[in-house]
Structure formats: C-alpha cells, structure tokens
Amino acid sequence: MIIVLRPGASPAQIDEVIAEVKILGYEPSPIIGVAQTVIAAIGDERTHQNLESLTALPQVESVLRVQKRYKLASRESHPANSVIDVAGVPVGGPQFTFMAGPCSVESADQLFATAEAVKAAGATILRGGAYKPRTSPYEFQGLGKEGLRLLREARERTGLKIITEVLSERDVEHVAETADILQIGARNSQNFQLLIECARTQKPVLLKRGLSERIEEWLLASEYLLAHGNPNVMLCERGIRTFETYTRNTLDLSAVAIAKKESHLPVIVDPSQGCGRADLVIALCCGAIAMGADGLLVEVHPTPAEAWSDGQQQITFDGFRDLVAAVQPFLTAVNRTA
Ligand code: PEP
Ligand code: MN
C-alpha cells in the first residue's frame, strides 16, 4: 500500500507513521519528497491488515491500495480457466453448459416433463428451486424436502445433474445430499456463514451476484468459498438493481467480461432473473455468449402462465429449443461447442 502524507508533515510525524506501518506488519519504505512524503508499505495486502486505519492520523492524507483484495479468485493466482467437475459434467472448459428448468419445483409432472424437454434440447443440468427466497412471506415458498426428492427422481430418470438453491445454513447438509451444484441466491450472496458452510461440503457452488453487489464484492464473496477450501466455484451474473423499469433487473454483461478477465472461475449467466421478461431471454443469451460466458441458467416451464413463481420470465419448451438453436452461431463465433 502507499501512504500519502500531508504537505508539511514533520520528521517526527513521518517517523510516527513509519513505526505504525511496522506494527501493522508491513515493511516501510519512505520516499521523502520536497513538498510531500509517501511511504510504500511492503507486504501482501490481501492477507495483511488494511492500512486505511492510518488515515486516522492527522498527518496522513490517504492510503492507496496496490493489490487486488481477492487472491485465490484472481486470474493472477491461476492463469488458466478453472474447469469444475459437476458429477462428470465439466463446466468452464471448451464445452458450453446449458442449465435449465423451472424457477420452482411444483409437481412431479411439471418437473419430469421439463427435465425431458430441456434434456432433449441440449441441457445437461436441471435447475429447480425447492427452497424459494420470495419477497413476500405470503408467496409460494417452495416444496422443501419433497421438492428435493422430486429433483433426485428427475436425475434418476434423465441423468441430468441438479442445481438447486440453499437458503440457510440449517439446510446445507441435506440440500447437498441432493444437489450436484449448490446455488447461492442473490439475496444470500454475502451471507458469509452460509458460504463457509457450503464450502465445507466440497460440492460445486454457483454464487449469484447480489442485487446491488459490486464486482469486487462478488469476487470477495467467492474468495470466502475458496479460502475455506472449496475450489469448485462458479460465478453467476443475474442482473443488478438499477433505476430502469422496462426490466426487472439490469443484466450487467460488462460484469461477465470483467469477471472473465479478473478471475479464472467459470461465469454463468442467468438471463431470466436478469431481465424478468421471457421475450428478451434469447437476445440476452446471445450477448452473454459473446461476452465470454461459460454457460446459461435459464428458467423453463411447461405453462409459464400457470407458474407458481416467476411466470413472466419463464420460457416454454419450444422457446428453449429455439434458444439453443439461436445461440449456435454465437457459440461457433467464440469457439465453444454445445
Ligand atoms: C432463482 O434462480 O429462481 C432465484 C431466486 O434467483 P436469484 O437469487 O438470482 O434472484
Ligand atoms: Mn426464479
């Protein structure tokens, strides 16, 4: 870090800062200028204490970071793309991944029909929420354990791998018995205790970006999973809250390109929560692939108009088939196979 002192700091004040830098575990290297002095504090900022507290001293003008705050998630620490093994399905390699299924698991008929349809169209991973994070407590909260049982049965019938959300620490153990990927939802993206519990399972985790989360905060949340010993992490851009009202959220495609640059972790895009409109899903998927996404997480329902959650953004079986066909030229353009 670089500590910038105020013009006119006295030699005693400079010495005071140098002493503090040592106490905080860094090696100080002062550069005494004519008008102003700066002190380079040498040490690994990612794991040492933050020196921003030094601005509490009157002679310190500012403290500047040199290194990124995330370490294990950064591309510097791991230049090659990470490929996550989801029970035999690789995510993040040359093969593009389609994850699809209903927002919520509603019934055996609904789930099994959707599983067959998305598999036939090219999906390898089935999504479906058994625990639903709903804005209102009066809305459908998910089938819970019965939903998990149906997801296991869908896997047995189709061979699709399962991604499903875990809402609380209390549920991690039993959701992990069913899930091939634990989904951390946007509302829990910075629930660090939940992340630590999920890390312990060693199961692949898909970490959604929070509703108003900065890219740095999202990567730092992924760092919690990695630092607690789980390397099987996927990032998921699912739109952020903005002032725009034509869409439910604003799908931040620049975040996809940035996350791919900054990190080696696979990046998945959820266009369904991303815009909240079925009619935009295909366009956003094409954009996501062009930005370098490694996969898509798409909500598909047999009859969206009757869905128990998120009906407005779920696409039909035909819609999903059209989507897989529509994105093929984009996959070819970025050298990805479907
Ligand atoms: C979902 O996938 O249905 C969901 C609730 O997602 P998010 O956490 O992104 O809102
Ligand atoms: Mn949903």
Side-chain angles (χ1 to χ4, degrees), residues 103-104 127 132-133 165 183-187 208-209 211 238 248 270 273 297 299 310 313:
C103 175
S104 300
R127 66 150 287 152
K132 295 302 302 176
E165 179 163 354
Q183 176 176 322
I184 304 281
R187 290 154 193 81
K208 294 229 186 168
R209 182 176 177 193
L211 306 175
R238 50 77 70 202
R248 176 183 180 182
D270 175 346
Q273 330 301 320
L297 179 67
E299 289 187 346
D310 286 351
Q313 69 197 31

Side-chain angles (χ1 to χ4, degrees), residues 126-146:
L126 175 68
R127 66 150 287 152
Y131 293 95
K132 295 302 302 176
R134 306 308 302 281
T135 300
S136 162
Y138 306 118
E139 291 166 344
F140 175 56
Q141 304 286 307
L143 295 181
K145 288 189 173 157
E146 173 60 8

Side-chain angles (χ1 to χ4, degrees), residues 70-75 77 219 222-223 226 262-265:
Y70 39 87
K71 182 175 180 173
L72 300 170
S74 76
R75 214 177 252 288
S77 75
L219 292 171
S222 79
E223 190 82 11
L226 300 166
E262 288 291 318
S263 175
H264 54 91
L265 300 173

Side-chain angles (χ1 to χ4, degrees), residues 202-222:
Q202 292 294 314
K203 281 270 162 137
V205 176
L206 178 132
L207 176 65
K208 294 229 186 168
R209 182 176 177 193
L211 306 175
S212 305
E213 203 175 26
R214 292 194 172 133
I215 296 168
E216 184 188 42
E217 294 168 325
W218 181 32
L219 292 171
L220 282 167
S222 79

Side-chain angles (χ1 to χ4, degrees), residues 102-140:
C103 175
S104 300
V105 177
E106 298 169 8
S107 68
D109 287 350
Q110 174 244 19
L111 185 66
F112 301 157
T114 310
E116 297 290 354
V118 299
K119 182 184 176 185
T124 49
I125 299 176
L126 175 68
R127 66 150 287 152
Y131 293 95
K132 295 302 302 176
R134 306 308 302 281
T135 300
S136 162
Y138 306 118
E139 291 166 344
F140 175 56

